[in-house]
């Protein structure tokens, strides 16, 4: 049974304010495209496509990311070719089943010796350093160049792509050019969303879920938070054999609106996930109503709530620890509050003006399984916006985005700014709405008429009459726009000359065909479009009266169509 089909007994124990579903998976795995599927001769599983198929049959697995080693030659000889990146991405797209199982394809960049491996997703090309012809083939083994161990440039590359993010694989304190022990790096902080607190066992051949939880990297997670990095914990299986999801019970769990690739991506970029040794434990952790991964400003003390649900017998909670620390202080987080033999924790931490803290939960089950949540970062300010959101959603309508949200109450609130980003980080205001300022629920709507092609991120900026500001959680939606779109036809009806006005995202070589109502091709014009608005003029004087269809296409791909009437 899929893990997101929660039994009623579990659902009833979860907080009523839960806005998200729990999706269990792993982003660190390999196939025979690099050095995985080492047992392919006997199992028959070799490619990303077949490996995704295998993972779909594993218990408590809702998503799998395959991250091939990004290079060909090393002491471990991963053997990856740049051409396989395109193949792997295609197979992930083909195997992906939105709402049922999410398939992702990326890379594990870097080397172990004097370097460090980074799990990377959302980059449209293959990042590497092997130049010229070699054992990998006749040309460069990359499409995006980054010198070996040049982590400073690597962070910049990741930050240049809106959908890209990365996590630190089996990390050591001095990896990634001394990232954790050295000076805080804001570019790295923007690129990195997570760090493994469990990894492996990489070369296990177990397929019956019986391996114990692998070694812990808890100290690296704690050190990274102390340094000031905003990241969450993840569990990596690092599969090199055909046992995706089946070597042990460890999982990374994301809190997402739905089981779609853009929602999973948005959850990772928002640090809204946790690492668990248990394959179906569901954890809610909030501070002042904000979920794990949030970065909030609060006018009040920190109201900390933890709730754990697990349907399996014997998986009761032994202990819940709330850790806290000061971001960027260099001091390791310490335990603020502990409860034992309870699956819930409720605690208020008294803070003072200008205090800055991060909090996270560590949960230990009675069978010894550990669970680590992502932190919540809190800044105690004099006054926060007294506005409470019940929901915040984004819906596509005719290539536009309809944003809806409901507030529980608004007191001394001034306005709500709607902010948009294509990378989930750099937001700009696209509109404003005056607050109703009542203590009753209010419904709001806003339409983004010109969303970007791809993933769009939205948040609400709430400003009080005092000038204080707080932000909502982020919601995301993917918009797929055609690369060419017919925007206008004139005159229509037409007698002699037909003008077709179209917009192109980039320069395109296209074919414009005109078909009769019976489907017979009557015109065929080849041409080139420039980025932006274009006009195609067609002589239709010889056509009979009737209805006709225009189809603009690239080779083997219809881009856009429209119809007109010939008088």
């Amino acid at each position: 049974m899929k893990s997101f089909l929660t039994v009623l007994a579990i659902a009833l124990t979860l907080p009523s304010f839960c806005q998200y579903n729990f999706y269990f998976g792993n982003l660190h795995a390999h196939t025979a495209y690099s050095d995985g599927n080492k047992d392919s001769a006997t199992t028959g599983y070799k490619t990303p496509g077949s490996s995704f198929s295998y993972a779909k049959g594993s218990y408590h697995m809702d998503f799998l990311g395959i991250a091939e080693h990004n290079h060909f030659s090393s002491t471990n000889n991963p053997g990856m070719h740049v051409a396989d990146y395109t193949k792997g991405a295609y197979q992930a797209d083909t195997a992906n089943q939105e709402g049922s199982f999410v398939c992702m394809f990326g890379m594990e960049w870097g080397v172990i010796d004097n370097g460090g491996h980074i799990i990377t997703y959302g980059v449209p090309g293959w990042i590497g350093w092997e130049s010229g012809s070699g054992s990998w083939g006749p040309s460069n083994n990359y499409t995006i160049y980054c010198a070996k161990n040049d982590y400073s440039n690597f962070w910049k590359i990741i930050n240049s792509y809106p959908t890209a993010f990365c996590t630190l694989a089996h990390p050591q304190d001095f990896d990634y050019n001394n990232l954790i022990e050295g000076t805080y790096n804001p570019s790295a902080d923007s690129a990195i969303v997570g760090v493994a607190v469990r990894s492996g066992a990489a070369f296990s051949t177990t397929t019956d879920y019986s391996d114990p939880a692998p070694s812990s990297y808890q100290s690296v997670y704690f050190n990274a938070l102390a340094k000031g990095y905003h990241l969450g914990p993840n569990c990596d299986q690092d599969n090199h054999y055909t046992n995706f999801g089946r070597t042990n019970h460890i999982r990374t769990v994301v809190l997402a609106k739905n089981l779609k690739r853009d929602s999973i991506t948005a959850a990772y970029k928002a640090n809204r996930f946790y690492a668990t040794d248990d394959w179906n434990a569901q954890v809610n952790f909030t501070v002042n109503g904000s979920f794990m991964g949030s970065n909030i400003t609060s006018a009040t003390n920190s109201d900390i709530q933890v709730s754990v649900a697990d349907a399996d017998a014997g998986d009761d909670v032994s202990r819940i620890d709330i850790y806290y620390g000061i971001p960027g202080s260099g001091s390791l987080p310490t335990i603020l509050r502990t409860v034992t033999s309870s699956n819930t924790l409720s605690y208020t931490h008294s803070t003072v003006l200008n205090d800055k803290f991060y909090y996270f939960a560590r949960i230990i089950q009675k069978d010894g399984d550990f669970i680590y949540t992502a932190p919540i970062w809190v800044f105690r300010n004099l006054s926060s916006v007294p506005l409470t959101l019940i929901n915040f959603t984004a819906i596509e309508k005719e290539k536009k985005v309809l944003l809806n949200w409901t507030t529980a109450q608004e007191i001394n609130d001034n306005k709500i700014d709607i902010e948009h980003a294509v990378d989930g980080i750099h937001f700009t205001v696209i509109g404003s709405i005056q607050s109703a300022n009542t203590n009753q629920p209010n419904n709001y709507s806003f339409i983004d008429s010109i969303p970007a092609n791809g993933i769009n991120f939205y948040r609400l900026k709430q400003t009080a009459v005092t000038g204080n500001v707080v932000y909502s959680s982020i919601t995301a939606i993917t918009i797929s726009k055609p690369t060419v779109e017919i925007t206008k036809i004139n005159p229509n009806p037409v007698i002699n000359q037909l003008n077709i006005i179209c917009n192109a995202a980039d320069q395109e070589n296209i074919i414009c065909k005109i078909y009769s109502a019976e489907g017979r091709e009557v015109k065929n014009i080849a041409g080139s479009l420039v980025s932006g608005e274009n006009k195609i003029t067609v002589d239709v004087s010889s056509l009979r009266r009737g209805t006709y269809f225009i189809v603009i296409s690239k080779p083997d791909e219809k881009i856009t169509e429209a119809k007109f009437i010939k008088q």
Side-chain angles (χ1 to χ4, degrees), residues 31-33 37 44-56 64 66 68 87-96 101 103-105 244:
T31 74
Y33 274 13
N37 293 127
Y45 293 93
K46 189 173 184 178
T47 65
S50 62
S51 297
F52 286 127
S53 177
Y54 179 97
K56 290 175 182 179
L64 174 67
I66 291 174
E68 306 289 10
K87 295 177 186 177
Y90 173 78
Q91 291 173 50
D93 290 343
T94 303
N96 191 51
F101 193 94
C103 303
M104 302 173 69
F105 190 79
F244 308 99

Side-chain angles (χ1 to χ4, degrees), residues 370-445:
F370 278 73
I371 304 169
Y372 298 84
T373 74
I376 299 170
W377 291 267
V378 179
F379 173 46
R380 174 69 184 270
N381 206 346
L382 181 63
S383 177
S384 178
V385 178
L387 181 151
T388 303
L389 281 174
I390 297 175
N391 59 55
F392 179 36
T393 61
I395 303 170
E396 178 183 350
K397 295 192 69 174
E398 299 177 347
K399 303 304 178 184
K400 299 177 182 179
V401 176
L402 173 62
L403 299 171
N404 293 307
W405 66 95
T406 302
T407 61
Q409 65 174 0
E410 303 167 37
I411 304 172
N412 296 323
D413 200 38
N414 184 20
K415 66 172 182 174
I416 304 171
D417 290 330
I418 301 91
E419 297 193 338
H420 172 265
V422 294
D423 59 359
I425 300 172
H426 303 96
F427 284 85
T428 58
V429 177
I430 59 172
S432 297
I433 292 178
Q434 199 71 25
S435 297
N437 245 323
T438 68
N439 59 1
Q440 301 297 320
N442 289 285
N443 297 312
Y444 294 91
S445 295

Side-chain angles (χ1 to χ4, degrees), residues 317-350:
V317 174
S318 172
R319 175 185 177 115
I320 301 175
D321 294 321
I322 293 297
Y323 280 82
Y324 80 120
I326 299 173
S329 66
S331 298
L332 293 176
T334 57
I335 294 177
L336 172 68
R337 181 71 171 177
T338 295
V339 297
T340 57
S341 299
S342 174
N343 66 346
T344 62
L345 177 148
S346 181
Y347 179 71
T348 299
H349 181 211
S350 297

Side-chain angles (χ1 to χ4, degrees), residues 23-194:
Y23 299 117
F24 295 71
N26 169 40
L27 287 188
H28 189 170
H30 309 286
T31 74
Y33 274 13
S34 57
D35 61 347
N37 293 127
K38 292 181 180 296
D39 50 0
S40 61
T42 57
T43 65
Y45 293 93
K46 189 173 184 178
T47 65
S50 62
S51 297
F52 286 127
S53 177
Y54 179 97
K56 290 175 182 179
S58 299
Y59 290 129
H60 305 294
M61 282 286 287
D62 300 313
F63 65 92
L64 174 67
I66 291 174
E68 306 289 10
H69 289 279
N70 78 303
H71 53 98
F72 186 91
S73 301
S74 78
T75 54
N76 295 322
N77 192 28
M80 180 66 183
H81 300 78
V82 62
D84 290 332
Y85 183 67
T86 302
K87 295 177 186 177
Y90 173 78
Q91 291 173 50
D93 290 343
T94 303
N96 191 51
Q97 295 175 290
E98 301 281 66
S100 178
F101 193 94
V102 168
C103 303
M104 302 173 69
F105 190 79
M107 72 194 80
E108 183 173 2
W109 191 89
V111 296
I112 290 289
D113 295 336
N114 300 313
H117 282 173
I118 304 170
I119 306 301
T120 305
Y121 288 91
V123 178
W126 191 246
I127 308 173
W129 56 80
E130 294 169 318
S131 298
S133 60
S135 53
W136 54 84
S139 60
N140 295 336
N141 200 26
Y142 60 83
T143 54
I144 301 170
Y145 178 77
C146 184
K148 182 179 178 181
N149 293 334
D150 185 359
Y151 292 95
S152 293
N153 189 45
F154 183 81
W155 310 132
K156 294 177 183 177
I157 292 172
I158 300 304
N159 288 327
S160 68
Y161 294 102
T163 58
F165 66 91
C166 58
T167 67
L168 304 180
H170 38 73
Q172 302 297 323
D173 284 336
F174 296 97
D175 278 353
Y176 324 108
N177 287 349
N178 201 25
L179 179 73
I180 305 301
E181 295 295 328
T183 304
Y184 167 79
N185 185 329
S187 180
D189 196 12
S190 294
I192 302 166
V193 302

Side-chain angles (χ1 to χ4, degrees), residues 169-481:
H170 38 73
Q172 302 297 323
D173 284 336
F174 296 97
D175 278 353
Y176 324 108
N177 287 349
N178 201 25
L179 179 73
I180 305 301
E181 295 295 328
T183 304
Y184 167 79
N185 185 329
S187 180
D189 196 12
S190 294
I192 302 166
V193 302
V195 57
V197 294
R198 297 275 198 209
S199 184
F203 298 102
S204 171
T205 59
T206 301
T207 59
D208 63 357
Y209 310 92
S210 62
D211 275 359
S215 299
S216 172
Y217 295 90
Q218 172 184 290
S219 64
V220 180
Y221 179 43
F222 284 19
N223 285 335
L225 294 176
K227 185 65 65 174
Y229 290 103
H230 296 77
L231 40 71
N234 45 274
C235 280
D236 292 346
Q237 293 194 357
D238 194 7
N239 310 90
H240 285 74
Y241 285 81
T242 307
N243 52 10
F244 308 99
R246 304 187 197 181
T247 182
N248 52 37
H249 288 198
I250 70 169
R251 302 286 189 268
T252 300
V253 187
V254 301
L255 278 64
K257 298 281 189 181
N258 48 54
L259 188 54
K260 295 183 178 181
R261 190 186 288 171
D262 59 346
S263 291
I264 299 296
T265 296
Y268 269 102
K269 290 181 74 71
N271 305 124
R272 201 169 52 247
F273 54 90
Y274 59 91
T276 174
D277 293 345
D278 184 283
W279 62 4
N280 64 342
Q282 299 183 347
V283 177
N284 266 300
F285 164 56
T286 63
V287 176
N288 294 347
S290 295
F291 286 83
M292 64 183 78
S294 298
N295 196 329
I296 64 173
T297 299
S298 176
T300 63
N301 293 323
S302 297
D303 176 31
I304 302 168
Q305 302 289 331
V306 180
S307 175
V308 184
D310 194 319
D312 296 337
D315 279 348
D316 295 329
V317 174
S318 172
R319 175 185 177 115
I320 301 175
D321 294 321
I322 293 297
Y323 280 82
Y324 80 120
I326 299 173
S329 66
S331 298
L332 293 176
T334 57
I335 294 177
L336 172 68
R337 181 71 171 177
T338 295
V339 297
T340 57
S341 299
S342 174
N343 66 346
T344 62
L345 177 148
S346 181
Y347 179 71
T348 299
H349 181 211
S350 297
T351 60
V352 298
L353 184 65
N354 295 324
D355 271 355
K356 291 184 178 181
F357 291 107
Y358 60 86
Y359 307 90
F360 64 92
R362 187 185 70 175
I363 299 151
I364 306 174
Q365 294 182 315
K366 289 188 175 179
D367 61 1
D369 284 345
F370 278 73
I371 304 169
Y372 298 84
T373 74
I376 299 170
W377 291 267
V378 179
F379 173 46
R380 174 69 184 270
N381 206 346
L382 181 63
S383 177
S384 178
V385 178
L387 181 151
T388 303
L389 281 174
I390 297 175
N391 59 55
F392 179 36
T393 61
I395 303 170
E396 178 183 350
K397 295 192 69 174
E398 299 177 347
K399 303 304 178 184
K400 299 177 182 179
V401 176
L402 173 62
L403 299 171
N404 293 307
W405 66 95
T406 302
T407 61
Q409 65 174 0
E410 303 167 37
I411 304 172
N412 296 323
D413 200 38
N414 184 20
K415 66 172 182 174
I416 304 171
D417 290 330
I418 301 91
E419 297 193 338
H420 172 265
V422 294
D423 59 359
I425 300 172
H426 303 96
F427 284 85
T428 58
V429 177
I430 59 172
S432 297
I433 292 178
Q434 199 71 25
S435 297
N437 245 323
T438 68
N439 59 1
Q440 301 297 320
N442 289 285
N443 297 312
Y444 294 91
S445 295
F446 180 86
I447 294 177
D448 182 3
S449 300
I450 49 172
N453 199 28
I455 298 183
N456 292 261
F457 298 89
Y458 297 92
R459 72 181 182 187
L460 303 176
K461 177 183 176 182
Q462 306 156 26
T463 306
V465 293
T466 59
N468 293 88
V469 169
V470 73
Y471 294 94
S472 73
S473 60
I474 296 171
T475 189
I477 187 171
T478 297
I479 302 296
S480 297
K481 295 182 180 179

Side-chain angles (χ1 to χ4, degrees), residues 471-518:
Y471 294 94
S472 73
S473 60
I474 296 171
T475 189
I477 187 171
T478 297
I479 302 296
S480 297
K481 295 182 180 179
T483 56
V484 177
E485 187 173 13
I486 297 175
T487 58
K488 188 176 182 181
I489 298 174
N490 63 61
N492 189 15
V494 61
I495 298 175
N496 296 317
Q497 298 291 324
L498 179 69
N499 298 311
I500 305 168
I501 312 300
C502 56
N503 279 323
D506 298 295
Q507 183 176 337
E508 298 277 6
N509 293 321
I510 56 94
I511 299 173
C512 178
K513 296 181 179 181
I514 296 179
Y515 296 87
S516 67
E518 296 77 28

